[in-house]
Amino acid sequence: MASLILFVVLTSSLLPLLALAADSDMTFAGITTTTDNEAIQAISIAWNISNWKPYIGSDPCVGNGNFTPWPYIGCDGCQVGASSNSCNVTSLNLNGQNINAKIPPELFNLQLLTYLDLHNNSISDSIPPAIGSLSKITYLDLSMNNFSGHIPEEISNLTGLTHLNLSKNLLSGLVPSKLGDITSLSYLDLSVNMLSGNVPSELGKLTKLLVLKFGTNSFKGLLPPDLGNLSSLEQLYFDSSRVSGLLHVLEPLTKLRILWAFDNDIRGNLTVFKNFSGLEELRIYGASIEGPIPNFSHPSTIRTLQIGDLLPPPVNSSSQTESDSDFSFLKNMHNLTILSLRNCSLKSINFPNIPVLTNLTYLDLSFNKLSGKVPANFAQDKFPNLTQLFIGGNKFDGNLNDIIPRNLSNGEIDISFNPISGDLSLYPNLNINFLGTNINARTRYSNSRSSDILNFIGNKSLWTNITKLAVPFAIKCGGDVHDIPYLFYYHNDTKHLGVADLNFDPQNQWVVSIVSPFLPNNYIIDFIVNTDHSISGAGTQALYQTARISASSLRYYIVGFPDGDGYKIEIDFAEIVIEEQSSRRGLGRRYFNIYIQGKPVEKDFNIVDAANGSYVVVNKTYENITVTNRTLDIHFQWAGRGTCCVPHEDTYGPLVSAIRVSTREPPPRPRKTAREKAGVAVGILSLGIASLLISLSIVYLWWQWIRLGRVMKP
């Protein structure tokens, strides 16, 4: 009956148009089939699509009488001269429609659907097995939702599928091996889920694949050798998938244009990629990969080369780490725009012979062992279009003018911890981290004492104007609080910092240094995060609801402590960016290393693991720390591990809530009980009475002696 009433309503609404068509001897398209019509009406009610509300009750493929389908709907079979009930819904593109409900079963009545895009919504529950009934579908995107549970095996019934995207959900369990039966697939994205087990070797049957993404999951086991069968593959992303194995599995994939392989336990040598003819982008770090960096057979195609945490060749290897330091592999990389070789065990005795790279805008050589004097006008001649430069943690010598291109006035530069000299007055707007250099910073600060203290960190001979600091000493990283607890006064650390920057408190003689250069873009500009969420285990919430972060290096220097042993360092953490795993924001993983006085004290530290959850306080205490040269160095460094982009870019790397410094103190005297206190009082009173009696006796005897002497006088 309901269907009949709906049909009458739809027919009556179209009568004027049909009459017009008859009067003009024209034939318009027919209306949607009853099954598809009812399915769309049911979906519109279940999902409450706002842009569909004006059309409810009208024909989905005809609309409100203008023969235009509803928004986000595509139809087929509606050609001129067709009979009624001949139109079928063949596509639904409902991405970003704020859908917050389950998939209604009527969706699977659209049997001629070929295109379904539901990404960027909040659809919950599991993926229904009925998805396998849409046998005509070729494009399916369910990404960026809240789907949970397993991937249904029935999805393998979609044998005509060319595009499948299930990424950024909460899917768990094993990847069905039957996915390998969808041999028509050219695009497969399973990334950013909680999938586990092995990456199925059956994926090697998908020989038409052009793009394969399975990064940011919890896979275990080896990288399947069958992936080498994907000879047509152009893009491969298995970043943070937790797989192990040997890198040479990828050697047959010579058509790869883009490869992301960071944060895994894979091993091997970079020479695997030597003969990749179309390689455009290579990102590999945080793994057990050895150098040297090879001379690529087609260097002119490479636009982005990001290699980090590279191990040196074995001691008995014929390859020498120094072969990297001449940078011969950069020859003929004319199209290179991004070059990052951070922490790659690169060494050199003389300044490296880097070729001219006119398209280069980003260069990161930080945390290597490169040295030598920078030639005159080096940056201007080699990298005329450079906007970001990071060479901190090396031993480069030279003048600031030779390191910074002349046309660079507002870029990001990190030259920290190099014996570089120069004057900042020529670069008033430059975002620069020059900590640990010989740079003259007096023009940037109001007094010479500030510059002397900053240079003191890099030059131990500068003892002038260094005040002795008292302990306890504390810093509230990324925030401002007062005495919490009463033993500590927390110095505030609220200054907004840039990609390569530092903030200096000259009165209290401490510096925060930040280097956060990672690509493509920095999501947090000032590198401070905050939350209103309550923090478990926090005596005072404000101490943990803000934090200082960095995507690479975060360093606190405190100058002026007396030299000696016995210092205690307490560091507080609470993860306030990565949430619990009940949401997609909980799929990220943050790892970083901690160094105190240059010595490693934590490797791959994970706040969530240490605290057993997000929004939970965890404290790390390090005792018997030695201060030398009056300087305390606390360094937090990202070392290539963890996810890059969940819940947003630059989520990896250090996050710190507070730092406290104290010294060993003698144990407090035990408190006395009330009975003990009463006993002490009685004892004191008795002693006083006894002393008084003794004193009176002495006085009496003395008086008697005087009296006797008088009596005995003649």
Side-chain angles (χ1 to χ4, degrees), residues 168-290:
K168 297 181 181 177
N169 280 290
L170 299 170
L171 298 170
S172 59
L174 306 178
V175 176
S177 59
K178 287 188 176 182
L179 279 185
D181 295 337
I182 315 177
T183 55
S184 56
L185 276 175
S186 61
Y187 183 101
L188 176 59
D189 190 350
L190 305 175
S191 60
V192 192
N193 279 290
M194 296 186 291
L195 300 170
S196 57
N198 294 320
V199 178
S201 60
E202 287 80 1
L203 295 184
K205 296 190 295 183
L206 305 177
T207 55
K208 294 182 181 179
L209 268 184
L210 301 177
V211 179
L212 175 58
K213 301 181 180 182
F214 58 89
T216 311
N217 276 290
S218 298
F219 292 118
K220 299 293 183 183
L222 301 176
L223 196 65
D226 291 346
L227 287 184
N229 299 334
L230 306 179
S231 57
S232 297
L233 202 62
E234 295 181 357
Q235 299 181 40
L236 176 59
Y237 304 80
F238 64 99
D239 44 293
S240 299
S241 57
R242 298 189 174 184
V243 297
S244 58
L246 298 176
L247 197 60
H248 71 74
V249 168
L250 308 178
E251 196 163 8
L253 307 180
T254 56
K255 292 184 180 179
L256 275 180
R257 295 188 298 106
I258 299 174
L259 174 64
W260 289 21
F262 53 85
D263 185 20
N264 285 287
D265 295 322
I266 53 176
R267 304 178 305 280
N269 193 284
L270 285 174
T271 54
V272 165
F273 307 114
K274 180 178 180 179
N275 296 318
F276 281 27
S277 59
L279 191 63
E280 298 176 7
E281 181 176 341
L282 177 62
R283 295 179 63 173
I284 183 166
Y285 40 82
S288 300
I289 306 301
E290 297 175 356

Side-chain angles (χ1 to χ4, degrees), residues 305-344:
L305 184 62
Q306 291 179 257
I307 300 173
D309 315 291
L310 193 63
L311 300 177
V315 176
N316 58 354
S317 172
S318 58
S319 301
Q320 297 297 319
T321 309
E322 285 75 11
S323 64
D324 284 344
S325 59
D326 64 7
F327 291 87
S328 60
F329 58 89
L330 293 175
K331 186 178 181 181
N332 298 322
M333 285 192 182
H334 308 303
N335 294 311
L336 194 65
T337 60
I338 295 171
L339 176 61
S340 177
L341 302 176
R342 183 191 57 82
N343 192 26
C344 282

Side-chain angles (χ1 to χ4, degrees), residues 126 214 258 465 665:
S126 58
F214 58 89
I258 299 174
N465 292 329
E665 297 177 355

Side-chain angles (χ1 to χ4, degrees), residues 456 463 466-473 509 558-567 597 625-632 661-663:
F456 168 80
W463 294 87
I466 304 300
T467 303
K468 180 180 178 181
L469 293 180
V471 289
F473 188 97
Q509 300 179 176
I558 308 169
V559 178
F561 288 135
D563 288 359
D565 301 328
Y567 283 86
Q597 302 296 66
I625 302 300
T626 301
V627 168
T628 56
N629 299 308
R630 304 186 186 181
T631 303
L632 181 61
V661 182
S662 58
T663 55

Side-chain angles (χ1 to χ4, degrees), residues 469-483:
L469 293 180
V471 289
F473 188 97
I475 300 171
K476 171 63 193 90
C477 308
D480 184 10
V481 295
H482 300 292
D483 297 349

Side-chain angles (χ1 to χ4, degrees), residues 106-114 116 129-138 140 154 157-161:
E106 291 83 359
L107 175 67
F108 307 112
N109 293 335
L110 302 173
Q111 286 295 299
L112 295 184
L113 203 62
T114 61
L116 179 59
I131 195 77
S133 66
L134 301 176
S135 58
K136 302 294 184 182
I137 203 163
T138 60
L140 179 60
E154 288 80 0
N157 295 337
L158 309 179
T159 54
L161 205 58

